Amino acid sequence: MAANDGAPPPLSTLTLTDTITPCAFSQRVLIKSILSRPDGGAGLAGQTLKVGGWVKKGREQGKGTFAFIELNDGSCSANLQLMIYSDVGELSDYTPTGTSLHVEGVLQMPPADKQGKQSIELRVVRVLECGKCDAGKYPLPKTKLTLEFLRDYVHLRPRTNTISAIARMRNELAYATHTFFHDNGFLYVHTPIITTSDCEGAGEMFQVTTLINDAEKLEKELIKNPPPSQEDVDVAKNVVKDKGEIVAKLKSDKAGKPAITAAVVELNKAKENLSKLEERFHQKPGIPKKDGKIDYGQDFFARQAFLTVSGQLQVETYACALSSVYTFGPTFRAEHSHTSRHLAEFWMVEPEIAFADIEDDMRCAEAYVRFLCQWLLDNCLEDMEFMVKNFDKNAIKRLQMVASTNFVRLSYTEAVTILEEVVAKGHKFENHVEWGVDLASEHEKYLTEIKFESPVIVYNYPKGIKAFYMKVNDDKKTVAAMDVLVPKVGELIGGSQREENYEVIKERILEMGLPLEPYEWYLDLRRYGTVKHSGFGLGFERMILFATGIDNIRDVIPFPRFPGRADL
């Protein structure tokens, strides 16, 4: 048994700081609440408590008389060391990596020569539950694993130090997002995942339809129960005719009411049978069509529907009634891209502000990003230090810089001029730079990492490369759009002042080659009580990339979806 460095203080001398609060709704204490104390948990020595978690490492010692186990419950990156003697249970059940343990024990100081590694350990007196794990088959060995390898075990990868740290940081960034907007008077609005509007006008949308499933079901049904022939239908028609003649004759003969009623019942049955036969006779395998085109009138929503690429258009309806709103949810792009910055499903934070112009929009975006960076520094320093040690030595410095720096602002024209000048001096870009083209990632990184060494907001882009809803400037060549560029990832935020003029936005929709009908509701916002308003979208996973220094966006979302992969 590990000896205490000193006897624990008597219960009568314990202060409130020496007590520990059990985890809500669970029969355990969070490991974080033990190890995150300034004394590393030493002040809790002598207390009996329960913990639960998964074994990171385990080793038997003393010729199998006791074992040391590193236990982690996900509440922090640190592991709590357990010490279990063989009289408690079969040690070989408890030591394999991946095993889950729910135990009760006494916190004690480790031997003096071990106190540099941990300030406290748990002497287990009782194993309450054990979820065994076959070490020979467990796919996550103790050796260092690549993030790419872990994508093949997306259901188990949260147990690794890296993915669990990212999960905690993601949680904090989400909480910080709601805190920022709540504290600034914004209302959280849930916008639909299924939409009939193409926000970006690019057409790269996932279609939502039941036509394919319905067609497959019909095909199986027609094979199992072939449709009636024309002869079957003709026979049914003759039966209806005959039954009808019988009813007519009974009426002309002034037969009794019971006889006529019975005959009418038989006629109705014949008609119903004919109707069913005719319906099945006209059923054809395949997707239903009308005038040579797919008949979406027979689809679930009686029209084409898609997974949303953005909640912006819908949240504007609430901004035009409740002033300051935001939406935060998943968005989808059917883009066949395999870059390290693209996903098919990702999350967007999209605020919308009434009575706000592009200047207000830029101020809000800058304040929000700086708030997120400071929040991580204040609440996730341990996980940030893990990222610095294992992935990006500049991660914390980058957060500190953004949190404390006023963002550089320059127009798109000024940005292009800077890039053209540096090219003239011999700098090489893979993508050509000239006025009218969208800035590539390498251009964005040059501005933020080399030219200014600071976040940069570029505004007033050419209208030809931006969406129809952006406010057209007085020069008629540019729109009041802005992008927030940051080191490491380039574009983090895209936003704009929205076009509130009915005639102008109608013309812009037609210029983009989009049909007016799906946007009639959007045009109503300009017809009835139009208001100047602005907003932006922050790619949530890109924010996590920026913060963590992780290279691939597939590793900062819990369940990555990209071309060819949609596990779980």
Side-chain angles (χ1 to χ4, degrees):
M1 178 176 177
N4 288 344
D5 189 38
L11 291 178
S12 60
T13 66
L14 291 178
T15 66
L16 287 176
T17 57
D18 296 313
T19 62
I20 188 165
T21 304
C23 176
F25 316 118
S26 181
Q27 300 172 27
R28 63 194 174 97
V29 166
L30 291 178
I31 290 176
K32 178 181 179 180
S33 65
I34 300 171
L35 301 182
S36 64
R37 291 164 51 99
D39 62 3
L44 300 172
Q47 293 201 34
T48 299
L49 47 78
K50 299 173 184 176
V51 296
W54 289 262
V55 175
K56 291 288 187 176
K57 290 187 294 184
R59 64 189 188 279
E60 294 185 32
Q61 291 194 330
K63 297 181 179 180
T65 58
F66 66 93
F68 286 113
I69 290 172
E70 299 293 318
L71 195 74
N72 189 281
D73 65 359
S75 61
C76 63
S77 62
N79 304 323
L80 177 65
Q81 180 167 287
L82 309 184
M83 189 178 187
I84 306 182
Y85 278 83
S86 56
D87 59 355
V88 173
E90 186 61 50
L91 297 181
S92 60
D93 289 342
Y94 309 145
T95 54
T97 299
T99 301
S100 70
L101 289 174
H102 185 202
V103 300
E104 183 177 22
V106 180
L107 289 171
Q108 61 184 21
M109 301 289 288
D113 61 341
K114 301 292 185 182
Q115 289 182 19
K117 295 182 179 180
Q118 61 271 331
S119 301
I120 200 76
E121 65 183 15
L122 187 75
R123 164 74 186 277
V124 176
V125 297
R126 189 159 59 112
V127 175
L128 305 172
E129 295 174 82
C130 174
K132 296 181 182 180
C133 183
D134 186 337
K137 296 180 180 179
Y138 188 55
L140 302 182
K142 289 180 282 188
T143 56
K144 189 171 183 179
L145 305 171
T146 66
L147 294 176
E148 186 175 14
F149 171 85
L150 290 175
R151 289 176 214 148
D152 291 330
Y153 298 95
V154 69
H155 58 299
L156 294 174
R157 69 176 187 168
R159 298 187 185 186
T160 64
N161 294 333
T162 299
I163 300 301
S164 61
I166 293 170
R168 287 187 292 270
M169 294 175 69
R170 185 183 179 99
N171 172 71
E172 288 295 339
L173 285 169
Y175 187 75
T177 290
H178 291 300
T179 300
F180 175 84
F181 288 112
H182 179 272
D183 291 353
N184 283 284
F186 285 70
L187 188 75
Y188 180 31
V189 177
H190 297 136
T191 51
I193 290 176
I194 298 174
T195 179
T196 56
S197 302
D198 183 356
C199 177
E200 299 301 322
E204 295 171 333
M205 304 176 73
F206 288 100
Q207 189 165 339
V208 177
T209 180
T210 58
L211 290 179
I212 297 174
N213 285 342
D214 291 345
E216 289 178 344
K217 289 179 182 177
L218 177 59
E219 186 174 356
K220 291 179 181 178
E221 173 62 23
L222 292 177
I223 292 173
K224 184 178 180 180
N225 298 303
S229 64
Q230 182 64 60
E231 182 181 356
D232 295 329
V233 174
D234 291 340
V235 169
K237 286 181 179 178
N238 288 331
V239 171
V240 170
K241 180 181 177 182
D242 293 342
K243 298 292 184 182
E245 290 175 350
I246 291 173
V247 171
K249 188 173 188 312
L250 287 172
K251 288 181 177 179
S252 65
D253 293 344
K254 297 182 179 181
K257 186 176 180 180
I260 294 175
T261 299
V264 168
V265 169
E266 292 298 316
L267 174 60
N268 288 336
K269 287 181 179 179
K271 287 180 176 180
E272 183 179 351
N273 181 57
L274 174 61
S275 176
K276 290 180 178 179
L277 285 174
E278 286 181 325
E279 180 182 353
R280 296 197 67 241
F281 177 75
H282 289 104
Q283 285 181 331
K284 305 295 181 186
I287 304 294
K289 292 189 175 183
K290 184 177 182 181
D291 300 327
K293 298 179 180 179
I294 294 176
D295 184 7
Y296 287 106
Q298 296 189 44
D299 208 346
F300 187 88
F301 295 108
R303 62 185 298 179
Q304 276 189 290
F306 307 90
L307 295 180
T308 183
V309 298
S310 168
Q312 177 208 313
L313 299 189
Q314 287 84 359
V315 86
E316 281 188 54
T317 66
Y318 274 72
C320 293
L322 301 173
S323 300
S324 294
V325 297
Y326 73 104
T327 185
F328 180 12
T331 55
F332 308 85
R333 303 283 170 92
E335 183 179 359
H336 287 277
S337 176
H338 289 273
T339 77
S340 61
R341 298 173 60 194
H342 288 86
L343 288 166
E345 177 186 322
F346 55 98
W347 285 64
M348 291 280 286
V349 179
E350 298 175 292
E352 197 72 28
I353 319 165
F355 308 101
D357 60 17
I358 187 67
E359 290 292 331
D360 300 313
D361 204 31
M362 290 190 286
R363 288 192 299 110
C364 180
E366 177 175 343
Y368 172 46
V369 172
R370 292 177 62 174
F371 183 87
L372 292 181
C373 293
Q374 190 60 54
W375 186 278
L376 285 178
L377 292 170
D378 294 341
N379 297 280
C380 269
L381 192 57
E382 181 186 21
D383 288 321
M384 284 304 308
E385 289 172 342
F386 174 86
M387 294 299 162
V388 167
K389 179 180 178 181
N390 294 279
F391 293 97
D392 185 347
K393 67 180 188 305
N394 295 314
I396 290 178
K397 292 179 181 178
R398 193 166 54 246
L399 286 179
Q400 291 170 333
M401 182 271 289
V402 173
S404 61
T405 301
N406 292 323
F407 294 8
V408 172
R409 296 189 190 183
L410 66 157
S411 69
Y412 168 87
T413 301
E414 291 170 327
V416 168
T417 299
I418 290 171
L419 295 169
E420 287 178 331
E421 288 175 350
V422 76
V423 168
K425 293 177 181 178
H427 190 90
K428 301 291 185 182
F429 289 119
E430 291 184 9
N431 296 274
H432 179 62
V433 182
E434 66 176 354
W435 201 96
V437 302
D438 207 357
L439 299 182
S441 176
E442 59 177 336
H443 304 144
E444 297 167 346
K445 290 186 177 182
Y446 176 85
L447 293 171
T448 57
E449 297 176 7
I450 300 176
K451 175 63 179 178
F452 295 106
E453 296 182 357
S454 162
V456 175
I457 302 180
V458 179
Y459 61 91
N460 288 349
Y461 280 79
K463 73 174 185 177
I465 60 174
K466 290 297 182 179
F468 70 89
Y469 51 75
M470 297 186 177
K471 176 74 175 177
V472 178
N473 290 324
D474 293 339
D475 61 12
K476 306 301 180 184
K477 297 192 304 180
T478 63
V479 290
M482 66 91 180
D483 288 341
V484 177
L485 314 179
V486 295
K488 181 68 179 177
V489 300
E491 181 188 340
L492 178 63
I493 282 177
S496 70
Q497 182 175 338
R498 318 309 189 189
E499 181 58 70
E500 81 274 16
N501 183 287
Y502 170 79
E503 294 298 336
V504 174
I505 197 167
K506 179 181 177 181
E507 182 181 340
R508 289 283 287 145
I509 291 174
L510 295 174
E511 278 180 11
M512 299 287 288
L514 299 172
L516 284 176
E517 188 274 331
Y519 299 100
E520 283 297 332
W521 65 270
Y522 191 66
L523 291 171
D524 277 351
L525 301 179
R526 279 74 182 167
R527 289 187 182 102
Y528 310 125
T530 188
V531 61
K532 174 176 63 179
H533 60 289
S534 301
F536 62 80
L538 173 137
F540 197 59
E541 282 73 31
R542 287 197 179 185
M543 180 64 206
I544 303 171
L545 280 183
F546 164 76
T548 60
I550 297 293
D551 289 326
N552 199 307
I553 200 167
R554 298 172 183 178
D555 301 316
V556 298
I557 191 168
F559 304 99
R561 273 84 175 93
F562 50 93
R565 292 294 291 268
D567 298 334
L568 276 65

